[in-house]
């Protein structure tokens, strides 16, 4: 029984592949501080659950393939409020930002097509791009430069006849890098010059901690044909389990193509769109409060990490992740050991080994990604456990 | 800006491509009887909504990539009750049967790989197979033989070195064909002999009207490595909008591969799994009642269709669709005309033109698929409108 080449090129998720070990550890009574997945402990706004409970139709019917009218309206309104002018025709509601990326790559990649992606990058890009037969052309970034990738010449040097797109995540998962307005503009100019799609994953848009000098890619109206925005309610409203995302572009040919795949899979969940539309009614005070909380966690996380002997990391400017190089041989071995062999007072910590966030073989093997998604007290304990784990692992 | 070859090979859904015309007609005050989509008017069991309303967690968190434990338990229990022995490891919960098919084809198809599919077939197979670079090798069936495709020699004649799978839908969408136990066995023998996956889409399992001589593919234990079952709560519980499906197989290598894609897209909706698990607690009396209702509609639909001069159709044995050849030039033109130009007392009817259910060019151009998903009175009126429409269309 044959398996496909593309699926054999894919890997389990670095965030999720140790789940079986975690479940075994938990079953044995161990408490695990989970910093491996971007699953915040921040409460989902109650508006979501209220709207869902208020759903009174007797038949849970299919939604429209492009998304329900009320959900599309909610997204258009949200963008208007942040100064970006989209119409409903520019938006397709998807099953998480994940499906938006899957559909997009199906639309634009042929076997061997290349996508330029600054690395490290959110690991699922690997799966989505390979599933479409595409290849990631990584652009290396380093912590010493805050993982900056706004280098037009370096990006241009990676372009060849197979290049279809430049994909950026802003604010960045997993590095926390945030582009200034000028930096984003400089990258858009490269995409425009070379007639490439500019994929802008902005799911962490509201989580920027030290500056207001940021720009939504949808504001740059001279690159309407190039820009594709990936968005989601998962992080914005701490509603990861809703699986509501969106593919947004003013490129009509692309959106017509994407609708084929949307119709093929019929629709996104009806009830979750009811809940998600209600989320967009929460006001700016919600974002301020959440941003303050994450800023606090960011500061704590960075301070404690930096204090561990031998750790190298850059202070993240946005999102809720930090990459860290650890003074260990191999992060995969280490993180598995932390689940199976380590404990302190019955507790341990789970992070994501970072090799899966790189496309270049050999990079990231002694790095981890930490999601600072737990409240201060838990985060502090988790980082102490990490420090203790590193020490014991190296003396084992 | 380039678009991919595979996406350009795909088409809009024959069930959904006329939605813009339908919305315009409705906006103009026209009432449309919708027989185009398998969206039943049967009420979703209230257990779904009760379970969802009872969800009391404050954070709507990600689920496990393979599905929540309680959802997997519910599915295992359901299969035990119908005499099929699956364990949780054999099951991946997906976003509808649609995503189960998408993931499956990603796992087993390389560019140019072939899947043998009896035609007509559920049109989304086109999109899912092409998205993976695969090709449909159709096996023609005809209404005069009740669309029967249990012909081992004919199936074998289509096998070549590129063939990876035989995909069957049982009970069948759109023809209503149902395989006897012996017929299913004869097809399984072909798959076994040639080392092919046997993809069995059994989402209409409970909707069989004239016989008990049916078999779940999962019961044939000598073909554990070959059989992949596609399942869903959409039709079974009239819960199409929940988007909860499943990929089921005892082929461990395949399931390990599929988990990569499941982890890539993170998970299926958390809340809908809470609701869907509750659906599996409804008893056999629910299925009996629903089956009786569909049988009545089937009889009515077939009787009224057969009475229209020039219509050719076969009496469906299961599912809730019937294919019909109409005495018209082109079903696409006709169905669009029914939305834009036809009305009787402010009403019209919408069906699916059937060319999209065929892979062979030219087949199905004067056929439609009717989903008998409306209550008797509405269905009767809808079929009268269809008859009147055909008459007026031909005299226009």
């Amino acid at each position: 029984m044959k398996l496909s080449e593309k699926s054999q090129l894919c890997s389990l998720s670095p965030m999720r592949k140790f789940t079986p070990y975690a479940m075994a550890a938990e079953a044995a009574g161990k408490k695990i501080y989970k910093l491996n997945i971007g699953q915040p402990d921040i409460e989902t706004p109650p508006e979501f659950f209220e709207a869902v409970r208020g759903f009174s139709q007797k038949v849970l019917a299919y939604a429209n393939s492009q998304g329900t009218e009320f959900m599309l309206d909610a997204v258009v309104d949200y963008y208007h409020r942040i100064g970006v002018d989209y119409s409903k025709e520019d938006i397709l509601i998807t099953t998480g930002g994940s499906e938006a990326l899957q559909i997009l790559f199906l639309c634009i990649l042929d076997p061997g097509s290349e996508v330029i992606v600054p690395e490290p990058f959110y690991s699922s890009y690997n799966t989505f791009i390979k599933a479409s037969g595409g290849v990631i052309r990584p652009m290396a970034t380093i912590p010493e430069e805050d993982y900056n990738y706004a280098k037009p010449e370096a990006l241009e040097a990676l372009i060849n006849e197979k290049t279809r797109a430049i994909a950026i995540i802003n604010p960045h998962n997993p590095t926390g890098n945030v582009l200034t307005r000028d930096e984003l503009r400089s990258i858009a100019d490269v995409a425009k010059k070379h007639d490439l799609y500019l994929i802008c994953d902005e799911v962490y848009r509201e989580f920027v901690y030290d500056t207001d000098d940021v720009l939504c890619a949808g504001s740059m109206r001279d690159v309407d044909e190039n820009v594709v925005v990936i968005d989601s309610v998962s992080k914005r409203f701490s509603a990861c389990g809703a699986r509501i995302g969106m593919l947004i572009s003013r490129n009509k040919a692309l959106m017509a193509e994407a609708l084929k795949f949307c119709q093929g899979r019929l629709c996104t969940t009806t009830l979750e769109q009811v809940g998600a539309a209600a989320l967009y009614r929460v006001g700016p005070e919600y974002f301020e409060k959440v941003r303050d909380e994450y800023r606090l966690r960011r500061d704590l996380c960075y301070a404690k990490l930096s204090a561990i002997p031998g750790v190298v990391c850059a202070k993240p400017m946005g999102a809720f992740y930090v990459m860290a190089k650890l003074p260990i041989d191999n992060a995969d071995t280490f993180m598995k050991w932390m689940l199976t062999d380590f404990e302190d007072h019955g507790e341990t910590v789970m992070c994501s080994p970072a090799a899966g966030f790189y496309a270049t073989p050999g990079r990231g093997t002694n790095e981890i990604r930490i999601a600072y998604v737990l409240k201060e007290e838990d985060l502090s304990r988790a980082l102490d456990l990490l420090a203790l784990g590193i020490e014991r692992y190296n003396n084992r």
Side-chain angles (χ1 to χ4, degrees), chain A:
Chain A
M1 310 293 292
K2 283 190 185 154
L3 294 166
S4 75
E5 284 172 28
K6 57 183 166 296
S7 98
Q8 290 175 77
L9 284 172
C10 293
S11 310
L12 289 176
S13 159
M15 293 93 79
R16 291 177 171 246
K17 65 181 178 178
F18 290 146
T19 301
Y21 298 107
M23 287 171 75
E26 284 174 332
K30 211 181 273 188
K31 175 170 179 180
I32 305 172
Y33 291 90
K34 291 179 182 164
L35 306 182
N36 58 311
I37 297 191
Q39 172 56 64
D41 63 357
I42 306 274
E43 288 185 11
T44 311
E47 283 83 350
F48 181 94
F49 299 109
E50 284 158 20
V52 164
R53 288 192 193 104
F55 184 83
S56 61
Q57 293 171 31
K58 302 278 189 191
V59 181
L60 187 63
Y62 286 122
N64 280 341
S65 295
Q66 63 270 41
T68 61
E69 289 293 304
F70 55 82
M71 183 67 205
L72 291 166
D73 284 334
V75 176
V76 167
D77 287 349
Y78 159 80
Y79 273 99
H80 273 281
R81 288 198 299 274
I82 62 168
V84 186
D85 183 35
Y86 279 121
S87 66
K88 283 193 267 194
E89 293 66 38
D90 305 326
I91 303 166
L92 289 167
I93 304 300
T94 56
T95 303
S98 297
E99 195 195 36
L101 286 164
Q102 288 171 334
I103 290 176
L104 171 63
F105 291 128
L106 283 175
C107 289
I108 67 170
L109 300 183
D110 285 310
S113 296
E114 295 186 4
V115 183
I116 297 172
V117 190
E119 75 173 358
F121 51 82
Y122 172 53
S123 60
S124 289
Y125 276 72
N126 254 318
T127 310
F128 303 146
I129 290 173
K130 288 175 182 170
S132 285
V135 175
I136 289 181
R137 172 72 62 157
M139 174 190 171
T141 69
I142 53 173
E144 292 76 6
E145 295 178 352
D146 287 333
Y147 298 102
N148 185 271
Y149 55 90
K151 301 175 175 180
E153 296 78 17
L155 284 168
E156 277 195 291
L158 297 171
I159 296 172
N160 61 39
E161 73 285 355
K162 291 181 182 170
T163 310
R164 294 280 169 92
I166 300 170
I168 61 175
I169 305 166
N170 183 35
H172 198 270
N173 172 7
T175 69
N177 181 271
V178 176
L179 296 174
T180 65
R181 300 170 72 92
D182 288 347
E183 286 175 334
L184 175 60
R185 187 63 248 185
S186 74
I187 297 171
D189 288 339
V190 175
K192 188 180 180 181
K193 178 177 167 192
H194 295 273
D195 226 15
L196 301 174
Y197 295 101
L198 179 61
I199 302 165
C200 301
D201 180 337
E202 299 185 350
V203 304
Y204 299 96
R205 184 181 291 129
E206 278 77 10
F207 308 128
V208 175
Y209 308 119
D210 308 311
T211 176
D212 289 322
D213 183 31
V214 288
L215 186 66
C216 294
S219 305
M220 302 179 291
R221 296 306 304 266
D222 65 313
V223 281
D224 277 355
E225 294 297 303
N226 307 82
V227 168
V228 185
V229 170
I230 305 297
D231 208 345
S232 164
V233 306
S234 295
K235 315 297 177 176
R236 180 166 303 140
F237 301 108
S238 199
C240 299
R243 313 309 300 127
I244 295 291
M246 49 222 87
L247 179 68
I248 307 175
S249 179
R250 299 191 187 90
N251 180 323
K252 292 196 184 306
L254 173 68
M255 294 305 272
E257 217 65 4
L259 184 60
K260 295 177 183 176
F261 294 106
C262 287
Q263 289 195 351
R265 62 42 158 160
L266 305 173
C267 68
T268 299
T269 49
T270 300
L271 208 51
E272 306 285 341
Q273 290 188 73
V274 171
L279 287 176
Y280 279 101
R281 291 200 296 267
V282 306
E285 67 284 359
Y286 168 81
F287 294 118
E288 274 165 42
K289 203 176 128 205
V290 174
R291 187 161 40 232
D292 287 348
E293 173 66 24
Y294 280 127
R295 188 186 289 110
L296 204 106
R297 295 177 183 187
R298 189 267 316 251
D299 292 342
L300 170 74
C301 191
Y302 178 68
K304 294 204 80 152
L305 259 180
S306 304
I308 302 174
V311 165
V312 179
C313 61
K315 189 173 187 175
M317 299 177 267
F320 41 64
Y321 305 100
V322 57
M323 288 285 288
K325 187 182 284 188
L326 305 185
I328 50 156
D329 55 351
N330 183 291
D332 258 82
T333 320
F334 171 63
M335 287 317 313
K336 191 180 150 199
W337 179 86
M338 287 293 283
L339 292 170
T340 53
D341 289 59
F342 174 85
E343 58 117 341
D344 179 62
H345 296 91
E347 299 182 336
T348 188
V349 60
M350 191 175 183
C351 308
S352 293
F357 295 92
Y358 288 87
T360 305
R363 285 204 74 192
T365 48
N366 62 347
E367 295 176 39
I368 60 170
R369 185 194 76 169
I370 291 171
Y372 45 89
V373 289
L374 302 183
K375 62 176 191 276
E376 216 176 340
E377 181 190 337
D378 291 345
L379 192 59
S380 179
R381 169 67 178 150
L383 289 161
D384 288 341
L385 285 165
L386 180 67
L388 191 60
I390 292 171
E391 195 187 325
R392 282 212 213 137
Y393 177 79
N394 285 331
N395 293 324
R396 79 192 184 282

